């Protein structure tokens, strides 16, 4: 068993520096790598490119890095719910690339799986396809989209072990598995680090080979963005 | 004239037994409340759940269980969770049978614009572009005209497109229309709404064949 | 919940006819759809095209269909361990297309996920790439491989429910999940059909949306091809 | 001269701490037996397991647990099972650190042929083409010459290729050789084997620099 465990978030983020490209898991505030984001907000790194489905809210998630002006470019599918984001975007301070959600997921997965590019129908005939190669297969048009290239992936899982194996919970899974192994270094934070052998090998969502560093996170807030009840 | 609930009720009748359905934010979300109880339907939410249930009871919210609108939800028996790539495999692979979403504009050839207004803050397309590019059966739920009273059923969309030639049906506060190769075919009128009113509110080519029935809700 | 359960293998195979293309899960004899194969061997269907990693052994797995001369074309990555296969192949009776194993898996997954084609490095510079489009990305060469098109997928899982949800066991998982939803109709046979709600939604390998028909199989032999012990 | 076990022993020394390793059928399978016990290594088998353990005890075989050679195996603590697509994501995505496989021929530019002999029954390439097309570190384990005594280290492969320019190192019964841009660089001699013997058994360009040490097993 190859041991991926690191002592804490500081050790997990070793090597992070300005101008890097990060992937960050989560959908809205669900399943985001809270510990990694919080640590990044404390570090003197800036001019970051962040690939993440959303950009957090003003005072949580990626919103923390936006407040510090640490993000230079954001690649996302939906960026509502964040006033500071809007301000920086409209002022031109922040570069924003909006792409379809399925394309975002698959460009991550392509990087994980060693595919250079994919053909997807999403965005054909729209401004998303401008400047991109398009191609017909069986009478339907597709857009060529390139695999992402990133320095670090920050993902959050429910349970994990020192071998790097991960299990996610509910819809907190979302982009997290697709980002594992999609960057040079994948850092996984988990709510509970269990002994190696405690996870059923049949139920592991992400095998440890896709993870370089793992640690048990602290003080998860797991904030609910839109509490709705019957 | 229908209100939002009325539009949702009418669309609910399009949901057939055995359908996997993806509901967009807004009016489409309401559709789930009006689907017949005697048919089998499963709701997919693109953030990673199939078999989505109603909102949780107060106190039973789970931060790890939300829908694509970021609302807390529940899971029904037979539900499953999956990653985003698998979720869009369901959508792109045409496994989802029906997509219901809102729009700012629809053109007579089935183009849809619903994600961007130049000059305004753009929030993004989320999963809408993937959904409209692949779904075989797309129903748009929207008001027939915008707040200025201008038609949203156009010859050509004026706003940046979300997808091309993809919308199959439009249900508005005034009418049910099918997108055909020749334009919007008027299928049903909302209660009390005349063909003339619909004609006036429709900029795109409207096809009227025979007597157009009033919709039954 | 949409009910996918059918009474038995006969009902599950309704609509199967000669000249169709099938995908069949399994690696060697591990995780093969034993009931479907056995039923196919009893049916008067022939001129079949079978997409499967292997072709069984002489008297088990796809070997049963070969003995009946029901297969016209075999698409596989490895076809050893089968004398009848060899005879039919060398005599020209059987058309065989050998493709790399990862390409086989991904052409199935592409069909499942709505991708028309993929670019893979496997086979570049070999006869596998002959007649196919090749392309450079970032200095490395890739081959364009098309998504499969099949009429039926026959897969075998460990547990399943009437909603079509599947859980596989051990390395019997292999190609089975990748073939679900990759054909017009996916037929899943399971060792144990459990009540809907009994499977943890967090641990389902294949959501029911990828499965059209499901039934509890009978008399699994689960033959071991190469019994090796310490 | 080394026997098959000797080749496996020598290759085992190439397995470094923290490596994920894919072992082909034949000599490569033996390598697992000789890897140092004080380093952390995980074996991947492309049919869908990471953390593969030894063969099971008699009576503990599980039909649902085999390796790519279809042999019954066991899983170690920390193991995981996955589908074929994910398995080749590990391989194609360069997450597997070392691939060890057999070959019929290797050329001086690193081409490998190991799947097909024209005129004979062809069993197929299995996962070999995926492995050699993507692995950053490929070691070939084979005899230096074939049964007719002809060199298997060639200027150009005569058999249909499995992959081009991919082999990094070759370990044979006679020598350890590195594939460089100028040809096979002789790194080590098998015990008792002279440089001349190796030279004679190598058709491809052999680079000999200084004194070539005898290998230590």
């Amino acid at each position: 068993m190859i041991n991926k465990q690191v002592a804490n978030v500081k050790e997990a983020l070793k090597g992070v520096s300005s101008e890097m490209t990060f992937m960050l898991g989560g959908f809205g505030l669900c399943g985001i790598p809270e510990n990694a984001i919080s640590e990044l907000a404390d570090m003197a790194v800036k001019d970051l490119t962040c690939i993440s489905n959303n950009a957090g809210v003003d005072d949580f998630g990626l919103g923390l890095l936006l407040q510090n002006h640490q993000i230079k470019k954001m690649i996302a599918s939906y960026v509502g719910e964040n006033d500071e984001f809007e301000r920086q975007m409209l002022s031109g301070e922040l570069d924003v690339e909006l792409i379809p959600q399925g394309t975002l997921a698959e460009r991550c997965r392509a990087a994980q799986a060693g595919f250079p590019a994919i053909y997807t129908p999403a965005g054909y005939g729209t401004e998303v396809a401008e400047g991109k190669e398009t191609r017909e297969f069986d009478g339907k048009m597709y857009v060529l989209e390139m695999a992402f290239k990133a320095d670090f992936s920050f993902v959050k899982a429910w349970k994990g072990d020192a071998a790097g194996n991960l299990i996610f919970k509910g819809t907190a899974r979302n982009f997290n598995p697709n980002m594992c192994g999609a960057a040079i270094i994948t850092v996984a934070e988990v709510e509970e680090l269990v002994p190696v052998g405690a996870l059923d090998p049949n139920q592991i969502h992400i095998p440890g080979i896709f993870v370089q560093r793992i640690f048990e996170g602290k003080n998860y807030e797991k904030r609910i963005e839109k509490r709705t009840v019957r | 004239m229908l209100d939002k609930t009325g539009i949702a009720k009418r669309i609910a009748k399009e949901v057939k037994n055995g359908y996997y359905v993806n509901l967009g934010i807004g009016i489409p979300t309401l559709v789930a409340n009006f689907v017949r109880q005697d048919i089998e339907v499963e709701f997919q939410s693109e953030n990673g759940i199939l078999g989505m249930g109603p909102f949780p009871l107060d106190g039973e919210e789970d931060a790890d269980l939300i829908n694509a609108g970021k609302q807390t939800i529940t899971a029904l028996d037979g539900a499953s969770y999956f990653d985003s790539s698998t979720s869009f495999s369901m959508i792109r692979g045409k496994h989802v049978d029906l997509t219901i979403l809102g729009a700012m504009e629809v053109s007579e050839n089935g183009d849809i614009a619903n994600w961007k207004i130049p000059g305004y803050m753009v929030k993004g397309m989320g999963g809408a572009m993937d959904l409209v590019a692949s779904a075989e059966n797309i129903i748009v739920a929207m008001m027939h005209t915008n707040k200025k009273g201008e038609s949203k059923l156009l010859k050509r969309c004026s706003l940046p497109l979300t997808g091309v030639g993809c919308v199959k049906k439009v249900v508005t506060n005034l009418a049910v229309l099918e997108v055909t190769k020749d334009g919007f075919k008027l299928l049903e009128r909302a209660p009390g709404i005349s063909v003339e009113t619909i004609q006036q509110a429709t900029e795109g080519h409207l096809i009227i064949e025979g007597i157009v029935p009033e919709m039954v809700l």
Side-chain angles (χ1 to χ4, degrees), chain A residues 156-160 166-170 189-193 205 222, chain B residues 64:
Chain A
K156 192 259 180 179
W158 180 38
K159 292 182 182 180
L166 302 178
I167 293 180
F168 304 89
K169 180 162 162 274
E189 56 184 84
V190 297
E191 289 184 52
E192 190 187 352
L193 197 67
H205 294 138
K222 297 177 73 167
Chain B
D64 291 329

Side-chain angles (χ1 to χ4, degrees), chain A residues 27-31 54 76-82 85-86 89-90 98-103 105-106 109 119-128 140 156 169-175 177-178 191 222-230, chain B residues 25 46-49 54-74 81-86 88-89 92 94 115-116 119-130 133-134 160-164:
Chain A
F27 186 100
L29 301 180
C30 182
N54 312 91
S77 90
Y78 192 83
V79 292
E81 0 282 2
N82 193 322
F85 186 98
E86 187 167 346
M89 181 177 171
L90 294 175
L98 294 169
I99 62 174
Q101 195 176 134
T103 301
E106 208 61 26
R109 195 250 171 192
Y119 283 109
T120 178
Y124 174 75
T126 76
E127 63 180 55
V128 162
K140 189 174 167 80
K156 192 259 180 179
K169 180 162 162 274
T171 57
R173 195 181 314 184
N174 55 65
F175 290 85
N178 307 131
E191 289 184 52
K222 297 177 73 167
R223 194 188 291 188
I224 292 177
E225 205 165 335
K226 294 185 186 170
R227 189 176 304 269
T228 44
V229 294
R230 247 175 275 182
Chain B
I25 296 168
E46 66 267 26
N47 59 313
I49 176 174
F55 295 143
L57 294 171
D58 195 6
E60 294 185 1
E61 310 90 328
D62 180 352
D64 291 329
L65 191 44
I66 64 170
N67 64 15
K70 286 141 194 162
Q71 298 169 309
T72 44
I73 52 161
T74 56
Y81 308 126
F82 35 84
D83 61 50
S84 299
S85 174
T86 302
F88 284 92
S89 291
R92 199 185 310 100
K94 300 183 189 300
W115 77 284
K116 183 173 183 177
Y120 285 79
M121 166 65 188
V122 182
K123 294 193 169 184
M125 66 292 279
M129 281 195 183
D130 304 272
S134 295
L161 296 183
T162 309
V164 295

Side-chain angles (χ1 to χ4, degrees), chain B residues 105 113 118 154 156-161:
Chain B
E105 297 178 347
L154 307 173
R156 293 186 63 135
C157 292
S158 65
L159 296 171
L161 296 183

